[in-house]
Amino acid sequence: MSTFKTVRGMRDFLPEEAKIMKYIENQARQTAELYGYREIITPVVESYELVAAKAGEEVRARMYAFEDLGGRKVALRPEFTASVARLVATTLRNEPKPLRLFCVGSLYRYDEPQKGRFREFWQSNFELMGSEKPEADAEILLLTNRFMKNVGLKNFTFKVGHVGVLRGILSQEGLAEETQNQAMQRMDKKLYDETLKIVKESGASEKGVQTLQKLINLRGASTTKVLKDMAEAVKDYPEAINAVKNLGEILNLTAEAGEKLNVKVEAGFARGLEYYTGIIFEVYVPELDIALAGGGRYNRLVELFGGEPTPAVGVAHGIDRIMLAIQEQKAKINVKETPPVMVIPVNENLNAEALKTAEMLRAENIPVELEVMGRKVSKALEDADRRCVRHVVIVGEKELKEGAVVLRDMQKKEQRSVKIGELAATLKRQAS
Ligand code: HAM
């Protein structure tokens, strides 16, 4: 047989990397707990129709979609939001609102593999269902800020925009939703000339096109100034005016919460997913030019899936990219690991005794690695040394007759006989 490697775009995580991924996942779980989000687990395989409905052109084209053996058109989930909205539209339909739901897991998109872009990747995802208030949007921004801080990242910024501003103009200009989606997809890819062409050719007025052009150029770190300029630019479009106000309210709330969020408002910012109706945002660090997280408000998705009208806002954090950012910034991660104790039998006849000793220690929550290679004590000790093991328990005939084993401290290079009944307590004392 030929030798196998991973399928293009798929990766193995070796222990060091798996440790960082799990650390980030645990931080996300702690954030969920801090903000009252309950964890749910949804399936990797979903109906194609569900995940394709509002995924947008780009994600839709990159879906792992296939027919299962029962003839169903299914897809590997490219994101979590559609699954959570499905749940809220069906099983959780009658749950009191607000509903705060958290999930974490793997997602699949047939993206072109490159730094930070994989075909299998991981997200921690937060959805707040049932509130249309700016406090809800602010909560999603604040929890993202806290999570990024808690994983140890620095200098991250929030790129922020509002779909309501752009759609407000396009709707008033009479563009059908499908055409709006096409225009927004181009904006997401920063293909501004193409965007303006679509808008022009769809019958928008000269003023409409100019307003859009103005917004595309409007961005900056002074939130107050950009918002003021945005309000001025859209003054003839009532829906868009309300959207600018809404954005201002949300950003004021986060500032009033006492957290200095590093925000850059971009009036012409759009995202590929098509369900957004309000604020949208992405998180960046200076070391990488890809987003670490993305989210926003989507008020019509649950209803589209047959549920009650349910305003909602959420965010997904890209765990793989956060790991990259941690590595780029050389951020220290704080993972508590208890080094294992090694148990070595002096000869084969003592294998069962060694196993018994190992199990006894594990029952006391002491991590143990047993010598399973049948090596001589001296060889096994060399290996323990190489792997920086601190304590070794040597099970020998002479000591066993007295109900004892040898406990060796690898750092001090000292060893002594310890009664088996006292071994766990002795090890615990030395570890503390
Ligand atoms: P998204 O922007 O498509 O949003 O993905 C969120 C994050 O997932 C990205 O910022 C990135 O960190 C990570 N990500 C996406 N694609 C890849 C990839 N190919 N390789 C590695 N990481 C990737 C959503 O998925 C929305 N469901 C977010 C949301 C939740 N909106 C409302 N609620």
Side-chain angles (χ1 to χ4, degrees):
M1 260 210 194
S2 59
T3 50
F4 292 111
K5 31 181 205 184
T6 53
V7 171
R8 184 165 155 78
M10 302 288 155
R11 294 154 298 156
D12 296 313
F13 291 89
L14 299 183
E16 272 311 302
E17 279 189 325
K19 184 171 81 182
I20 306 178
M21 293 290 282
K22 288 294 151 193
Y23 162 78
I24 301 168
E25 184 179 320
N26 286 337
Q27 288 293 333
R29 202 164 270 121
Q30 276 180 27
T31 309
E33 217 172 287
L34 277 177
Y35 287 80
Y37 287 68
R38 286 179 305 153
E39 184 161 358
I40 53 172
I41 301 172
T42 61
V44 170
V45 177
E46 286 278 11
S47 103
Y48 173 80
E49 223 188 312
L50 176 92
V51 283
K54 285 283 166 188
E57 207 172 284
E58 172 103 7
V59 172
R60 207 177 297 128
R62 294 171 187 274
M63 215 116 71
Y64 280 86
F66 55 97
E67 206 171 90
D68 73 7
L69 294 180
R72 298 170 199 91
K73 182 99 198 260
V74 296
L76 304 187
R77 60 186 179 199
E79 56 139 9
F80 280 116
T81 308
S83 305
V84 183
R86 168 183 58 71
L87 264 178
V88 175
T90 56
T91 319
L92 299 178
R93 189 185 185 99
N94 297 321
E95 281 288 301
K97 308 292 182 302
L99 260 177
R100 290 184 169 91
L101 299 170
F102 165 71
C103 31
V104 58
S106 58
L107 296 308
Y108 302 84
R109 297 183 193 174
Y110 203 77
D111 281 337
E112 195 45 40
Q114 49 190 286
K115 190 172 181 188
R117 198 175 291 282
F118 313 104
R119 290 183 176 168
E120 179 184 52
F121 59 96
W122 273 259
Q123 285 182 347
S124 66
N125 186 88
F126 295 72
E127 308 291 355
L128 173 41
M129 299 273 186
S131 168
E132 55 178 9
K133 302 273 183 225
E135 299 86 285
D137 306 71
E139 175 172 306
I140 292 292
L141 289 171
L142 288 167
L143 74 80
T144 298
N145 180 59
R146 187 169 304 281
F147 172 53
M148 295 290 165
K149 268 204 326 212
N150 285 356
V151 295
L153 291 177
K154 294 198 175 60
N155 304 325
F156 53 88
T157 50
F158 285 81
K159 174 163 125 183
V160 177
H162 199 297
V163 175
V165 178
L166 303 174
R167 289 211 188 256
I169 295 165
L170 300 181
S171 299
Q172 198 172 318
E173 289 291 337
L175 266 68
E177 190 174 332
E178 200 34 54
T179 324
Q180 291 185 24
N181 291 348
Q182 282 173 18
M184 307 280 276
Q185 291 285 343
R186 301 297 175 284
M187 286 188 83
D188 173 41
K189 292 195 192 134
K190 302 195 170 63
L191 301 170
Y192 298 123
D193 290 343
E194 279 186 38
T195 310
L196 294 172
K197 190 161 169 267
I198 292 175
V199 173
K200 224 182 268 178
E201 284 172 4
S202 312
S205 69
E206 188 54 36
K207 187 175 80 182
V209 176
Q210 275 173 12
T211 307
L212 212 56
Q213 172 92 63
K214 257 190 224 158
L215 291 177
I216 288 170
N217 296 322
L218 251 178
R219 62 188 64 187
S222 164
T223 309
T224 329
K225 168 131 188 15
V226 180
L227 285 176
K228 196 166 151 275
D229 292 349
M230 275 170 87
E232 173 59 29
V234 304
K235 64 178 186 315
D236 296 326
Y237 296 88
E239 258 186 60
I241 297 175
N242 283 341
V244 176
K245 276 193 195 137
N246 174 246
L247 187 55
E249 270 176 336
I250 298 167
L251 295 178
N252 272 343
L253 275 173
T254 57
E256 279 165 20
E259 280 295 326
K260 178 88 194 68
L261 255 59
N262 200 346
V263 171
K264 289 197 173 69
V265 178
E266 284 196 18
F269 170 38
R271 278 171 50 72
L273 297 157
E274 270 165 10
Y275 44 67
Y276 294 112
T277 55
I279 187 174
I280 47 170
F281 66 93
E282 284 175 353
V283 179
Y284 288 88
V285 283
E287 293 81 2
L288 296 170
D289 59 1
I290 41 179
L292 302 190
R297 172 166 288 281
Y298 53 102
N299 285 349
R300 287 195 285 274
L301 195 60
V302 175
E303 202 178 344
L304 181 78
F305 292 160
E308 297 293 325
T310 310
V313 54
V315 60
H317 310 120
I319 295 182
D320 315 69
R321 293 188 184 173
I322 292 174
M323 173 162 83
L324 265 181
I326 286 177
Q327 288 165 337
E328 294 278 337
Q329 294 196 346
K330 301 192 172 49
K332 286 263 171 308
I333 65 163
N334 188 11
V335 191
K336 198 169 166 281
E337 281 182 326
T338 323
V341 170
M342 204 163 207
V343 173
I344 308 173
V346 164
N347 61 49
E348 277 186 355
N349 299 332
L350 297 167
N351 280 351
E353 278 302 331
L355 201 62
K356 195 167 139 196
T357 311
E359 281 301 298
M360 176 198 78
L361 294 177
R362 291 170 184 143
E364 293 286 333
N365 278 328
I366 298 171
V368 175
E369 278 182 30
L370 185 64
E371 166 57 29
V372 290
M373 303 291 285
R375 289 176 289 208
K376 289 211 169 77
V377 175
S378 58
K379 279 277 170 230
L381 283 177
E382 265 175 39
D383 188 39
D385 225 7
R386 181 180 66 80
R387 297 199 290 131
C388 302
V389 169
R390 174 83 198 271
H391 292 108
V392 173
V393 173
I394 303 167
V395 182
E397 251 144 27
K398 194 169 102 249
E399 290 78 17
L400 218 49
K401 280 197 190 109
E402 288 153 24
V405 289
V406 171
L407 178 59
R408 183 176 173 85
D409 185 319
M410 300 295 288
Q411 274 173 13
K412 295 187 184 150
K413 299 201 187 323
E414 286 168 6
Q415 62 184 48
R416 65 194 166 98
S417 173
V418 175
K419 291 275 182 233
I420 291 175
E422 288 162 21
L423 184 60
T426 310
L427 282 165
K428 279 185 186 167
R429 254 198 321 277
Q430 302 204 341
S432 59

